[in-house]
Amino acid sequence: MASLFSFPRSNPGAGGRRRGLSRVIWPWGADNRAGDTAVRQGNLSALVEREIIPRLVAAHPHDSVVTLVEPPKQITAEDIAAFTPLTVTAEADVLLDFVERLIGRGVPVETVLVELLAPAARRLGDFWEDDRCDFVDVTMGLWRLQEVVHELSGRVPAVKRPSNKRRAPFCAVPGEQHSFGAVVLDDIFMREGWLTEPTTPELLARIAPEWFDVIGLTVSCDSHISALPSLIRAIRNVSANARIAVMVGGRVFLEDPARAAEVGADGTASDARKAVKLASKLVGAKAQGVTAGA
């Protein structure tokens, strides 16, 4: 899927290395006396550099390989800072090229979703609040991020097959203009073996006739919080699963996790990977008729 890139390494050939090393002679005579003087003077590093390392190299020529420092296999703050502005200035294929370079250096797809795309989406919201971009910029940026998620899902399908038969739909609450958080949750849960599906605007009608173990609702604007308690009560009333677990997420709850309990949800998590663990915990607790803490 990804366009891999490698770092060049000089390769003079095994014979060349052996010839070069065979000319290096480190006698125990005068050089050793110099080393002894270095130790007496407290300069241990000089002894290691002048005596020990060269002898080890000469004794093990085939083990003398230049080790290159590998790029980090995780998302850095510099990655996020470079990537986020591209969401409003470049097309989706440019964002995908950026992501592919990260995958090429060994960053897992799941890490890209959780530690790059999700933070970039949150930063877009910050840009909007700081008047660094307008609503159209944010909408287009989130649309491009969703395109990247869908492309990654198609190119790198989930490794884990659905095994626990647990089902979970994810959606933005009514009135939300953006659903990127739900898209990321859907993909991460699918990769962990859950059966997921996109929800329609007719959320209550969708969950009434079929069994779902968990439902996830994402919220980004404070103005939509007030409608959540009644929505969650309605979900519990109509759900085919009387013990359905309701999770909430989004920047509103990231800033104040206690609000999850206030709106009647069973829990919230700071990112999609933690949400998977919390969902499993909630389902197990519900099956035993107890309440799991967030």
Side-chain angles (χ1 to χ4, degrees):
M1 190 246 9
S3 54
L4 304 181
F5 68 98
S6 59
F7 293 87
R9 171 180 293 184
S10 59
N11 185 17
R17 288 196 298 272
R18 284 195 296 270
R19 285 195 299 271
L21 290 172
S22 65
R23 291 195 299 268
V24 179
I25 301 174
W26 298 93
W28 288 95
D31 288 338
N32 190 52
R33 289 192 297 273
D36 182 62
T37 301
V39 171
R40 287 198 302 270
Q41 294 173 349
N43 194 349
L44 180 60
S45 62
L47 175 63
V48 172
E49 180 179 350
R50 295 178 186 176
E51 298 285 328
I52 305 302
I53 292 178
R55 287 177 183 138
L56 289 175
V57 171
H60 304 281
H62 296 291
D63 296 335
S64 305
V65 179
V66 176
T67 301
L68 297 179
V69 177
E70 294 185 357
K73 294 182 180 180
Q74 59 186 6
I75 303 298
T76 66
E78 290 75 16
D79 292 328
I80 300 173
F83 180 78
T84 303
L86 295 178
T87 62
V88 295
T89 61
E91 295 302 322
D93 57 345
V94 175
L95 304 186
L96 188 60
D97 288 341
F98 189 105
V99 167
E100 286 181 328
R101 288 195 294 271
L102 295 179
I103 296 173
R105 80 185 191 199
V107 179
V109 172
E110 181 178 307
T111 300
V112 170
L113 293 172
V114 176
E115 298 182 15
L116 178 70
L117 302 190
R122 288 194 292 268
R123 284 201 178 187
L124 278 178
D126 295 336
F127 287 174
W128 185 17
E129 291 183 352
D130 296 340
D131 292 327
R132 296 173 60 183
C133 61
D134 57 26
F135 180 79
V136 175
D137 291 330
V138 173
T139 299
M140 291 302 298
L142 292 175
W143 176 81
R144 293 178 184 118
L145 288 176
Q146 287 187 207
E147 288 294 298
V148 172
V149 174
H150 291 317
E151 186 71 18
L152 290 178
S153 297
R155 295 189 185 187
V156 187
V159 174
K160 297 183 180 180
R161 296 182 180 275
S163 56
N164 53 32
K165 306 301 183 184
R166 291 174 176 173
R167 301 180 66 192
F170 300 96
C171 66
V173 299
E176 283 283 327
Q177 299 294 321
H178 305 126
S179 59
F180 179 73
V183 171
V184 172
L185 282 169
D186 184 275
D187 193 277
I188 293 296
F189 270 72
M190 178 187 66
R191 292 176 183 277
E192 290 297 322
W194 287 65
L195 296 172
T196 64
E197 61 179 78
T199 57
T200 65
E202 296 78 24
L203 173 62
L204 297 179
R206 180 70 187 88
I207 67 172
E210 296 187 41
W211 180 281
F212 291 99
D213 297 279
V214 174
I215 184 168
L217 305 171
T218 62
V219 187
S220 60
C221 298
D222 287 340
S223 59
H224 297 143
I225 287 288
S226 59
L228 264 180
S230 59
L231 175 60
I232 292 175
R233 285 195 299 269
I235 288 172
R236 299 192 192 281
N237 288 336
V238 306
S239 174
N241 176 10
R243 295 180 175 177
I244 189 171
V246 180
M247 297 175 58
V248 291
R251 59 184 302 161
V252 172
F253 299 102
L254 187 63
E255 296 169 356
D256 186 5
R259 300 184 77 170
E262 295 173 3
V263 300
D266 294 300
T268 186
S270 58
D271 63 48
R273 284 180 297 205
K274 293 178 181 178
V276 173
K277 295 180 180 179
L278 175 61
S280 297
K281 179 181 177 182
L282 289 173
V283 171
K286 292 277 186 177
Q288 299 176 16
V290 299
T291 301

